[in-house]
Coordinates of all heavy atoms in Angstrom, one line a residue:
V113 N -8.4 -2.7 -0.5 CA -7.0 -2.6 -0.3 C -6.7 -1.4 0.6 O -7.3 -0.3 0.3 CB -6.3 -2.5 -1.6 CG1 -4.8 -2.3 -1.4 CG2 -6.5 -3.7 -2.5
V114 N -5.8 -1.5 1.5 CA -5.3 -0.3 2.3 C -3.9 -0.1 2.0 O -3.1 -1.0 1.7 CB -5.6 -0.5 3.8 CG1 -7.0 -0.7 4.1 CG2 -4.7 -1.7 4.3
G115 N -3.5 1.2 2.1 CA -2.1 1.5 2.0 C -1.2 0.9 3.1 O -1.7 0.6 4.2
I116 N 0.1 0.9 2.9 CA 1.0 0.3 3.9 C 0.9 1.1 5.2 O 1.0 0.5 6.3 CB 2.4 0.2 3.3 CG1 3.3 -0.5 4.3 CG2 3.0 1.6 3.0 CD1 3.1 -2.0 4.3
E117 N 0.8 2.4 5.1 CA 0.7 3.2 6.3 C -0.5 2.8 7.2 O -0.4 2.7 8.4 CB 0.6 4.7 6.0 CG 1.9 5.2 5.3 CD 1.8 5.1 3.8 OE1 0.8 4.5 3.2 OE2 2.7 5.6 3.1
V118 N -1.6 2.6 6.5 CA -2.9 2.2 7.3 C -2.7 0.8 7.8 O -3.1 0.5 9.0 CB -4.1 2.3 6.4 CG1 -5.3 1.8 7.1 CG2 -4.3 3.8 6.0
L119 N -2.1 -0.1 7.0 CA -1.9 -1.4 7.5 C -1.0 -1.4 8.7 O -1.3 -2.1 9.7 CB -1.3 -2.3 6.4 CG -0.9 -3.7 6.7 CD1 -2.2 -4.5 7.2 CD2 -0.3 -4.4 5.6
M120 N 0.1 -0.7 8.7 CA 1.0 -0.6 9.8 C 0.2 -0.1 11.1 O 0.4 -0.6 12.2 CB 2.2 0.3 9.5 CG 3.1 -0.3 8.5 SD 4.0 -1.6 9.2 CE 5.4 -1.7 8.1
L121 N -0.6 1.0 10.9 CA -1.4 1.5 12.0 C -2.3 0.4 12.6 O -2.4 0.3 13.8 CB -2.2 2.7 11.6 CG -3.0 3.4 12.6 CD1 -2.2 3.7 13.9 CD2 -3.7 4.6 12.1
M122 N -3.0 -0.3 11.7 CA -3.9 -1.4 12.2 C -3.1 -2.4 13.0 O -3.5 -2.9 14.0 CB -4.6 -2.0 11.0 CG -5.5 -1.1 10.3 SD -6.1 -1.7 8.7 CE -6.8 -3.3 9.1
K123 N -1.9 -2.8 12.5 CA -1.1 -3.8 13.2 C -0.6 -3.2 14.6 O -0.6 -3.9 15.6 CB 0.2 -4.1 12.3 CG -0.2 -4.9 11.1 CD -0.6 -6.3 11.4 CE -0.8 -7.2 10.2 NZ -1.1 -8.6 10.6
L124 N -0.2 -1.9 14.6 CA 0.2 -1.3 15.8 C -0.9 -1.2 16.8 O -0.8 -1.4 18.0 CB 0.8 0.0 15.5 CG 2.2 0.0 14.8 CD1 2.5 1.4 14.3 CD2 3.3 -0.6 15.7
R125 N -2.1 -0.9 16.3 CA -3.3 -0.8 17.2 C -3.6 -2.1 17.8 O -3.9 -2.2 19.0 CB -4.5 -0.3 16.4 CG -4.6 1.2 16.2 CD -5.8 1.5 15.4 NE -6.0 2.9 15.2 CZ -6.8 3.5 14.4 NH1 -7.6 2.7 13.7 NH2 -6.9 4.8 14.2
A126 N -3.5 -3.2 17.1 CA -3.8 -4.5 17.6 C -2.7 -4.9 18.6 O -3.0 -5.4 19.7 CB -3.8 -5.5 16.4
G127 N -1.5 -4.7 18.3 CA -0.4 -4.8 19.3 C 0.0 -6.2 19.7 O 0.7 -6.4 20.6
R128 N -0.6 -7.2 19.1 CA -0.3 -8.6 19.5 C 1.1 -9.0 19.0 O 1.6 -8.3 18.1 CB -1.4 -9.6 18.9 CG -2.8 -9.3 19.4 CD -3.8 -10.1 18.7 NE -3.8 -9.7 17.3 CZ -4.8 -9.7 16.5 NH1 -6.0 -10.1 16.9 NH2 -4.7 -9.3 15.2
T129 N 1.7 -10.0 19.5 CA 3.0 -10.4 19.2 C 3.1 -10.6 17.7 O 4.1 -10.2 17.1 CB 3.4 -11.7 20.0 OG1 3.3 -11.4 21.4 CG2 4.8 -12.1 19.6
Q130 N 2.2 -11.3 17.1 CA 2.2 -11.6 15.7 C 2.1 -10.3 14.8 O 2.7 -10.2 13.8 CB 1.2 -12.6 15.2 CG 1.3 -13.0 13.8 CD 2.6 -13.6 13.4 OE1 3.1 -14.6 14.0 NE2 3.3 -13.0 12.4
D131 N 1.3 -9.4 15.3 CA 1.1 -8.1 14.6 C 2.4 -7.3 14.6 O 2.8 -6.8 13.5 CB 0.0 -7.3 15.2 CG -1.4 -7.9 15.0 OD1 -1.7 -8.1 13.8 OD2 -2.0 -8.2 16.0
L132 N 3.1 -7.3 15.7 CA 4.4 -6.6 15.7 C 5.4 -7.3 14.9 O 6.3 -6.7 14.3 CB 4.8 -6.4 17.2 CG 3.8 -5.6 18.0 CD1 4.3 -5.5 19.5 CD2 3.6 -4.2 17.4
A133 N 5.4 -8.6 14.9 CA 6.3 -9.4 14.0 C 6.0 -9.1 12.6 O 6.9 -9.0 11.7 CB 6.2 -10.9 14.3
D134 N 4.7 -8.9 12.2 CA 4.4 -8.5 10.9 C 4.9 -7.1 10.5 O 5.4 -6.9 9.4 CB 2.8 -8.5 10.7 CG 2.2 -9.9 10.8 OD1 3.0 -10.9 10.6 OD2 1.0 -10.0 11.0
V135 N 4.8 -6.2 11.5 CA 5.4 -4.9 11.2 C 6.9 -5.0 10.9 O 7.4 -4.4 9.9 CB 5.2 -3.9 12.5 CG1 6.0 -2.7 12.4 CG2 3.7 -3.6 12.6
E136 N 7.6 -5.8 11.7 CA 9.0 -6.0 11.4 C 9.3 -6.6 10.0 O 10.1 -6.1 9.3 CB 9.7 -6.8 12.5 CG 9.7 -6.1 13.8 CD 10.4 -7.0 14.9 OE1 11.2 -7.9 14.6 OE2 10.0 -6.8 16.1
A137 N 8.5 -7.6 9.7 CA 8.6 -8.2 8.4 C 8.3 -7.3 7.2 O 9.0 -7.3 6.2 CB 7.7 -9.4 8.3
L138 N 7.4 -6.4 7.4 CA 7.0 -5.4 6.4 C 8.2 -4.4 6.2 O 8.5 -4.0 5.1 CB 5.7 -4.7 6.7 CG 4.5 -5.6 6.5 CD1 3.3 -5.0 7.2 CD2 4.2 -5.8 5.0
V139 N 8.8 -4.0 7.3 CA 9.9 -3.1 7.2 C 11.1 -3.8 6.5 O 11.7 -3.2 5.6 CB 10.4 -2.6 8.6 CG1 11.7 -1.9 8.6 CG2 9.3 -1.7 9.3
R140 N 11.4 -5.1 6.9 CA 12.4 -5.8 6.2 C 12.2 -6.0 4.7 O 13.1 -6.0 3.9 CB 12.6 -7.2 6.8 CG 13.4 -7.2 8.1 CD 13.9 -8.5 8.6 NE 12.8 -9.4 8.8 CZ 12.1 -9.5 10.0 NH1 12.4 -8.7 11.0 NH2 11.1 -10.3 10.1
S141 N 10.9 -6.0 4.3 CA 10.6 -6.2 2.9 C 10.6 -4.9 2.1 O 10.4 -4.9 0.9 CB 9.2 -6.8 2.8 OG 8.2 -5.9 3.1
G142 N 11.0 -3.8 2.8 CA 11.2 -2.5 2.1 C 10.2 -1.4 2.3 O 10.2 -0.5 1.6
A143 N 9.3 -1.6 3.3 CA 8.4 -0.5 3.6 C 9.1 0.8 3.9 O 10.2 0.8 4.5 CB 7.5 -0.9 4.8
D144 N 8.5 1.9 3.4 CA 9.2 3.2 3.6 C 9.0 3.7 5.0 O 7.9 4.2 5.4 CB 8.5 4.2 2.6 CG 9.2 5.6 2.6 OD1 9.8 5.9 3.6 OD2 9.0 6.3 1.6
I145 N 10.0 3.6 5.8 CA 10.0 3.9 7.2 C 9.6 5.4 7.5 O 8.7 5.7 8.3 CB 11.3 3.5 7.9 CG1 11.5 2.0 7.9 CG2 11.3 4.1 9.4 CD1 12.9 1.6 8.3
E146 N 10.2 6.3 6.7 CA 9.9 7.7 6.9 C 8.5 8.0 6.6 O 7.9 8.8 7.3 CB 10.9 8.5 6.1 CG 12.3 8.6 6.7 CD 12.3 9.0 8.2 OE1 11.7 10.0 8.6 OE2 13.0 8.3 9.0
A147 N 8.0 7.5 5.5 CA 6.6 7.7 5.2 C 5.6 7.2 6.2 O 4.6 7.9 6.6 CB 6.2 7.1 3.8
I148 N 5.9 6.1 6.8 CA 5.1 5.5 7.9 C 5.2 6.4 9.1 O 4.2 6.7 9.8 CB 5.4 4.1 8.1 CG1 5.1 3.2 6.9 CG2 4.7 3.5 9.4 CD1 5.8 1.9 6.8
L149 N 6.4 6.8 9.5 CA 6.6 7.7 10.6 C 5.8 9.0 10.4 O 5.1 9.5 11.4 CB 8.0 8.0 10.9 CG 8.8 6.8 11.6 CD1 10.3 7.1 11.5 CD2 8.3 6.6 13.0
D150 N 5.9 9.6 9.2 CA 5.1 10.8 9.0 C 3.6 10.6 9.2 O 3.0 11.4 9.8 CB 5.4 11.3 7.5 CG 6.8 11.8 7.4 OD1 7.5 12.1 8.4 OD2 7.2 12.0 6.2
F151 N 3.1 9.5 8.6 CA 1.7 9.2 8.7 C 1.3 9.0 10.2 O 0.3 9.5 10.7 CB 1.4 7.9 8.0 CG 0.0 7.4 8.0 CD1 -1.0 8.0 7.1 CD2 -0.5 6.5 9.0 CE1 -2.3 7.5 7.2 CE2 -1.8 6.1 9.0 CZ -2.7 6.6 8.1
L152 N 2.1 8.2 11.0 CA 1.8 8.0 12.4 C 1.9 9.3 13.2 O 1.0 9.5 14.1 CB 2.8 7.0 13.0 CG 2.6 5.6 12.5 CD1 3.8 4.7 13.0 CD2 1.3 5.0 12.8
R153 N 2.8 10.2 12.9 CA 3.0 11.4 13.6 C 1.7 12.3 13.5 O 1.3 13.0 14.4 CB 4.2 12.2 13.1 CG 5.5 11.6 13.7 CD 6.7 12.5 13.2 NE 7.9 11.8 13.5 CZ 8.7 11.3 12.6 NH1 8.5 11.5 11.3 NH2 9.8 10.7 13.0
V154 N 1.1 12.2 12.3 CA -0.1 13.0 12.0 C -1.4 12.3 12.6 O -2.2 13.0 13.2 CB -0.3 13.2 10.5 CG1 -1.7 13.8 10.2 CG2 0.8 14.1 9.9
H155 N -1.5 11.0 12.4 CA -2.7 10.3 12.7 C -2.8 9.7 14.1 O -3.8 9.7 14.8 CB -3.0 9.3 11.7 CG -3.3 9.9 10.3 ND1 -4.4 10.5 10.0 CD2 -2.5 10.0 9.3 CE1 -4.4 11.0 8.8 NE2 -3.2 10.7 8.3
E156 N -1.7 9.1 14.6 CA -1.7 8.5 15.9 C -0.2 8.5 16.5 O 0.4 7.5 16.5 CB -2.2 7.1 15.9 CG -3.8 7.1 16.0 CD -4.4 5.8 16.3 OE1 -4.0 5.1 17.3 OE2 -5.3 5.5 15.6
P157 N 0.2 9.7 16.9 CA 1.6 9.8 17.4 C 2.0 8.8 18.5 O 3.2 8.5 18.7 CB 1.7 11.2 17.8 CG 0.4 11.8 17.7 CD -0.5 10.9 17.0
R158 N 1.0 8.4 19.3 CA 1.3 7.5 20.4 C 1.9 6.1 19.9 O 2.6 5.4 20.7 CB 0.1 7.2 21.3 CG -1.0 6.4 20.6 CD -2.3 6.3 21.4 NE -3.3 5.6 20.8 CZ -3.6 4.3 21.1 NH1 -3.0 3.7 22.0 NH2 -4.6 3.7 20.4
H159 N 1.8 5.8 18.6 CA 2.3 4.6 18.1 C 3.7 4.7 17.5 O 4.4 3.8 17.1 CB 1.4 4.0 17.0 CG 0.1 3.4 17.6 ND1 0.1 2.4 18.5 CD2 -1.2 3.8 17.4 CE1 -1.2 2.1 18.8 NE2 -1.9 3.0 18.2
V160 N 4.2 6.0 17.5 CA 5.6 6.2 16.9 C 6.7 5.4 17.7 O 7.5 4.8 17.0 CB 5.9 7.7 16.8 CG1 7.4 8.0 16.5 CG2 5.0 8.4 15.8
P161 N 6.7 5.5 19.0 CA 7.8 4.7 19.7 C 7.8 3.2 19.4 O 8.8 2.6 19.2 CB 7.5 5.0 21.2 CG 6.7 6.3 21.2 CD 5.9 6.2 19.9
V162 N 6.6 2.6 19.4 CA 6.5 1.2 19.2 C 7.0 0.9 17.7 O 7.7 -0.1 17.5 CB 5.1 0.6 19.4 CG1 5.0 -0.9 19.0 CG2 4.8 0.8 20.9
F163 N 6.5 1.7 16.8 CA 6.9 1.4 15.4 C 8.4 1.6 15.2 O 9.1 0.8 14.6 CB 6.2 2.4 14.4 CG 6.7 2.3 13.0 CD1 6.3 1.2 12.2 CD2 7.6 3.2 12.5 CE1 6.9 1.0 11.0 CE2 8.1 3.0 11.2 CZ 7.7 1.9 10.4
S164 N 8.9 2.6 15.9 CA 10.4 2.9 15.8 C 11.2 1.7 16.3 O 12.2 1.3 15.7 CB 10.8 4.2 16.5 OG 10.1 5.3 15.9
R165 N 10.7 1.1 17.4 CA 11.4 0.0 18.0 C 11.3 -1.2 17.0 O 12.3 -1.9 16.8 CB 10.9 -0.4 19.4 CG 11.3 0.5 20.5 CD 11.0 0.0 21.9 NE 9.6 -0.2 22.1 CZ 8.8 0.8 22.5 NH1 9.3 2.0 22.8 NH2 7.5 0.6 22.8

Side-chain angles (χ1 to χ4, degrees):
V113 176
V114 298
I116 188 72
E117 296 88 356
V118 174
L119 178 61
M120 290 289 200
L121 178 55
M122 291 167 60
K123 293 286 186 179
L124 292 166
R125 280 179 177 168
R128 297 172 298 214
T129 302
Q130 184 59 54
D131 291 301
L132 299 179
D134 292 344
V135 168
E136 291 180 28
L138 289 164
V139 169
R140 280 193 299 277
S141 72
D144 185 339
I145 294 170
E146 286 306 314
I148 295 164
L149 282 169
D150 289 344
F151 180 85
L152 292 174
R153 285 184 190 112
V154 169
H155 297 283
E156 277 195 50
R158 68 188 178 100
H159 290 296
V160 168
V162 175
F163 175 76
S164 296
R165 284 192 298 275

